[in-house]
Amino acid sequence: METYTIEQLAAKIKNNEIDLKQYYEELFEEVAIQQKRLNCMVTITREEAFKALEKESGSMLNKIPGVLKDNYSTKGILTTASSRMLEDYVPVYSAAVYESLEKANMALIGKASMDELAMGGTNKSALTGPVLNPWDTSRISGGSSGGSAACVASGLVPFAMGSDTGDSVRKPAGLCGVYGFKPTWGRISRYGIIPYASSLDAVGIFTRNVRDMAIVTRELAGRDNRDMTSSFNEVPDYLADLNPNLAKRTIAVLTTVSNEVRNEKIKANFEEMVAKFKELGAKVIEVTIDQELARAILPVYKIIANSEATSNHACLDGIKYGNRQPGESVDEIMINSRSNGFGDHIKRRFILGNLALATENQEKMFRQAQRVRRLIVQEMDEIFKNADVIIAPNSGQIAPKVAEASDDMLSDEYIILENYLALANFGGNPSLTMPVGMVDGMPIGLNITGRIFEEQTVLDVAYALEQVLDFKDRYKRED
Amino acid sequence: MDKEAMLKELGLKTMFDISDEQMPALVDEYEVFMHHVQVLEKIDTTGVAIMAYPYDIETTYMREDEPNDVISRDDALKNAKEVMQNQVKVPKVVG
């Protein structure tokens, strides 16, 4: 079947140049093939997609196929967050993002697999099993939004929604060779998204090029009264305002991260990208953050994220909804339901989150992490006084083999390089990962992070680089 | 109290019954977690305020006390496993 970008398909629809019924029939045949190959979906929503064909909207997303991560509440459609606890949960309301997409008349293709409750970076913890990388099915998609990444990277849909608490959109985007964007915390409503850690969680988007990213971001951005953290800031027209001229841009190379890369090919690629930015006319400077603080990124993340998660998910008790197990008392029902409903790694994280929140520990664990978070964000703010964006390699490795991938590595390289993307969650910054090369047959990515609410700058810088590379609109599909 | 007993108790407070088979992995992760705590302890944060959100939010205010986004009783009970007389059924709480 043909694979289109949002812009291409929207033009065909507008000009009546496509038989949409036939297109969607072929698409769902392809969905079945890729689902078998990649295990990327939890639920396939054929009926929803065909309903959209009977309706119209003035949006560029009118009748465009898209996918939602399975932590977006979808009224009347199974929403599991890839957890046994919610394996038969059907929301009675929809997330703000899904409402916006419904209003735009997007055609929902399905709900994508994810790490359980978004707590992981491999997509191996999903109730439905690991999601495989479209470029090599012996490798992981990355997580936690791995199903969404795989759906876009296999060309099934031109865009998919994810969520990003530490790197859960950007990391899998890089490993699967697509674009992953986490706009500013507060830019897009999180209402109705099953949370992980509220002070870090952000809506994220996958596409295969910058222009499509601008379209989806514009469609979703803006104030929503139901999310008290969503911003009143005006939303620019990201697509119309795209400007690839870098003549007045300053790009900061975060050497604290890039110097940690051990893979020579990834290192060489990054140096090549830095050279390209210079050729494009940008001023490129080298910056660092304090090494002790860089090594504290993972500890701060783990303590804050686990603590907020255990609090957010106290509601998952099997009483009002979710997997209910028998018990002689209310407490016993809750303990049995939670013990049965969550994976072991989730239980461990909740317990350790509770440890950091305990009255006797809170000051030295949770609050100390919140203080160090401020010190780290201050380092970033210092850099942003002299630079429009910060760049670094998205990861020091290509997608790991399924059997080898783990969330629990503690090597020096891993500590900084594989966790620094959480910087943008600490500060709430817009942060985009784009494909910039192939290493050993697998895609690698570059991350670009900007000042809060300066999505346009991040998109502009990515747009400039995209035009001198040959990695946009790529996907990998096999039978 | 030894480490395993402490974690077992903390598990119950978090409403989990951690089995003997699950305990070794929990102890391992606890050690890693405490290593993270030590890394942070070494950083001087004297006079640094906590950062609970990424930036100062202009949207934090008390909204008018008006009901919104109300769901019906039927909807509220739709996902409950045991319902009786329009209420979620649980074992007797008061003796």
Side-chain angles (χ1 to χ4, degrees):
Chain A
M1 61 165 276
E2 285 289 330
T3 295
Y4 302 109
T5 67
I6 292 173
E7 274 192 306
Q8 287 166 345
L9 187 53
K12 283 193 175 292
I13 293 169
K14 196 175 168 194
N15 300 328
N16 266 326
E17 290 169 0
I18 187 166
D19 179 341
L20 277 176
K21 286 232 159 85
Q22 190 190 333
Y23 171 76
Y24 274 91
E25 287 294 350
E26 286 175 18
L27 175 56
F28 278 102
E29 280 174 28
E30 195 61 53
V31 166
I33 294 167
Q34 298 310 316
Q35 170 64 3
K36 205 170 164 190
R37 188 169 84 97
L38 306 172
N39 193 33
C40 47
M41 301 278 208
V42 177
T43 306
I44 294 168
T45 54
R46 183 189 161 91
E47 208 177 299
E48 296 301 317
F50 277 90
K51 264 189 225 163
L53 301 190
E54 307 303 321
K55 293 182 270 181
E56 293 292 339
S57 88
S59 163
M60 280 196 78
L61 297 181
N62 182 35
K63 302 177 188 180
I64 302 289
V67 159
L68 297 171
K69 186 176 181 176
D70 207 28
N71 58 351
Y72 282 73
S73 298
T74 42
K75 188 175 177 178
I77 301 169
L78 188 70
T79 298
T80 70
S82 287
S83 177
R84 172 165 288 117
M85 180 54 99
L86 294 172
E87 68 182 332
D88 57 4
Y89 172 66
V90 179
V92 295
Y93 71 104
S94 288
V97 163
Y98 183 45
E99 280 184 357
S100 298
L101 292 172
E102 276 191 305
K103 200 172 150 209
N105 198 33
M106 157 261 235
L108 183 69
I109 300 305
K111 303 287 297 289
S113 171
M114 54 188 278
D115 273 302
E116 182 175 3
L117 298 174
M119 297 175 77
T122 62
N123 224 114
K124 285 169 70 172
S125 66
L127 182 64
T128 48
V131 174
L132 307 178
N133 195 303
W135 293 89
D136 175 352
T137 52
S138 71
R139 296 177 185 276
I140 61 164
S141 59
S144 66
S145 314
S148 300
C151 285
V152 175
S154 59
L156 287 178
V157 286
F159 83 102
M161 300 307 303
S163 62
D164 189 313
T165 304
D167 59 19
S168 277
V169 163
R170 295 161 289 156
K171 191 57 86 63
L175 298 180
C176 291
V178 295
Y179 292 67
F181 188 31
K182 178 195 87 66
T184 307
W185 187 89
R187 182 78 285 186
I188 298 175
S189 171
R190 304 176 297 174
Y191 174 77
I193 298 173
I194 295 170
Y196 174 179
S198 307
S199 81
L200 303 165
D201 288 346
V203 165
I205 305 159
F206 295 92
T207 63
R208 287 189 298 274
N209 64 65
V210 174
R211 294 182 65 83
D212 281 358
M213 191 63 83
I215 292 167
V216 182
T217 308
R218 176 71 184 84
E219 194 75 48
L220 301 176
R223 168 71 183 175
D224 173 18
N225 284 333
R226 296 165 301 178
D227 176 356
M228 287 299 278
T229 63
S230 84
S231 171
F232 287 101
N233 284 11
E234 201 179 319
V235 181
D237 187 339
Y238 301 115
L239 182 65
D241 294 350
L242 270 181
N243 176 7
N245 185 347
L246 298 186
K248 289 182 182 163
R249 298 289 189 204
T250 300
I251 292 173
V253 176
L254 186 56
T255 57
T256 314
V257 171
S258 60
N259 286 347
E260 296 293 330
V261 177
R262 299 287 174 268
N263 181 312
E264 289 301 327
K265 291 174 189 168
I266 293 176
K267 212 177 179 64
N269 172 279
F270 183 66
E271 283 162 10
E272 198 188 317
M273 293 309 122
V274 172
K276 284 195 187 295
F277 277 126
K278 287 178 185 166
E279 285 166 24
L280 286 163
K283 181 182 171 189
V284 177
I285 59 173
E286 291 196 350
V287 297
T288 58
I289 56 175
D290 178 85
Q291 193 73 14
E292 192 182 31
L293 290 176
R295 296 174 69 83
I297 295 170
L298 178 62
V300 167
Y301 176 73
K302 284 276 182 191
I303 292 171
I304 291 178
N306 286 350
S307 299
E308 292 185 9
T310 197
S311 170
N312 276 333
H313 290 308
C315 62
L316 296 177
D317 55 17
I319 302 283
K320 306 168 291 296
Y321 47 83
N323 177 340
R324 179 161 174 173
Q325 296 296 316
E328 297 297 316
S329 65
V330 173
D331 275 12
E332 218 178 280
I333 288 176
M334 288 187 192
I335 289 171
N336 293 345
S337 299
R338 285 168 64 88
S339 298
N340 177 270
F342 295 119
D344 284 353
H345 70 295
I346 297 285
K347 293 177 205 167
R348 295 196 291 269
R349 288 182 179 201
F350 283 172
I351 290 169
L352 295 171
N354 234 353
L355 179 76
L357 289 176
T359 311
E360 64 275 23
N361 298 329
Q362 199 171 108
E363 197 57 37
K364 71 169 182 179
M365 295 186 188
F366 185 59
R367 297 207 178 278
Q368 178 68 358
Q370 288 181 310
R371 287 189 190 94
V372 177
R373 176 180 182 177
R374 181 175 296 280
L375 291 176
I376 293 171
V377 172
Q378 282 172 354
E379 293 269 309
M380 297 271 284
D381 289 344
E382 275 304 309
I383 295 171
F384 282 126
K385 281 182 184 165
N386 301 309
D388 296 299
V389 295
I390 296 171
I391 62 164
N394 196 56
S395 170
Q397 58 185 356
I398 59 171
K401 294 272 185 186
V402 175
E404 292 160 11
S406 162
D407 279 326
D408 302 318
M409 293 177 286
L410 281 178
S411 71
D412 279 359
E413 184 189 4
Y414 173 79
I415 285 279
I416 296 175
L417 181 56
E418 300 306 333
N419 294 286
Y420 85 94
L421 290 171
L423 286 171
N425 302 83
F426 292 175
N429 309 72
S431 184
L432 180 144
T433 291
M434 63 187 286
V436 291
M438 298 294 286
V439 167
D440 302 332
M442 294 300 292
I444 57 167
L446 175 84
N447 180 261
I448 303 166
T449 294
R451 300 186 190 101
I452 57 169
F453 292 106
E454 293 191 15
E455 280 79 10
Q456 190 71 56
T457 307
V458 173
L459 293 169
D460 286 352
V461 171
Y463 194 44
L465 185 63
E466 177 184 82
Q467 293 184 13
V468 294
L469 298 176
D470 189 24
F471 293 103
K472 70 168 181 170
D473 302 334
R474 284 204 188 188
Y475 59 91
K476 178 74 172 172
R477 205 152 60 203
E478 284 171 11
D479 289 343
Chain B
M1 194 190 305
D2 75 12
K3 214 177 290 174
E4 291 195 10
M6 182 276 288
L7 288 170
K8 178 87 182 168
E9 194 181 302
L10 190 62
L12 281 170
K13 281 185 185 164
T14 321
M15 308 305 258
F16 291 124
D17 185 12
I18 296 298
S19 67
D20 291 347
E21 292 74 37
Q22 293 166 331
M23 188 52 82
L26 178 57
V27 171
D28 284 352
E29 198 152 331
Y30 167 77
E31 300 293 354
V32 173
F33 195 83
M34 291 313 290
H35 174 75
H36 290 330
V37 170
Q38 283 161 16
V39 169
L40 299 190
E41 270 176 353
K42 287 182 191 144
I43 297 172
D44 182 5
T45 55
T46 315
V48 179
I50 63 159
M51 184 178 232
Y53 295 102
Y55 52 84
D56 289 332
I57 314 168
E58 83 275 26
T59 51
T60 308
Y61 55 84
M62 299 291 279
R63 67 172 175 83
E64 291 303 314
D65 189 18
E66 291 164 359
N68 59 12
D69 295 296
V70 177
I71 61 170
S72 68
R73 187 167 61 194
D74 282 353
D75 274 352
L77 295 173
K78 252 180 196 163
N79 279 283
K81 291 289 185 301
E82 285 193 59
V83 175
M84 199 172 80
Q85 293 172 351
N86 289 323
Q87 296 183 54
V88 177
K89 188 182 170 196
V90 293
K92 204 170 182 180
V93 177
V94 182

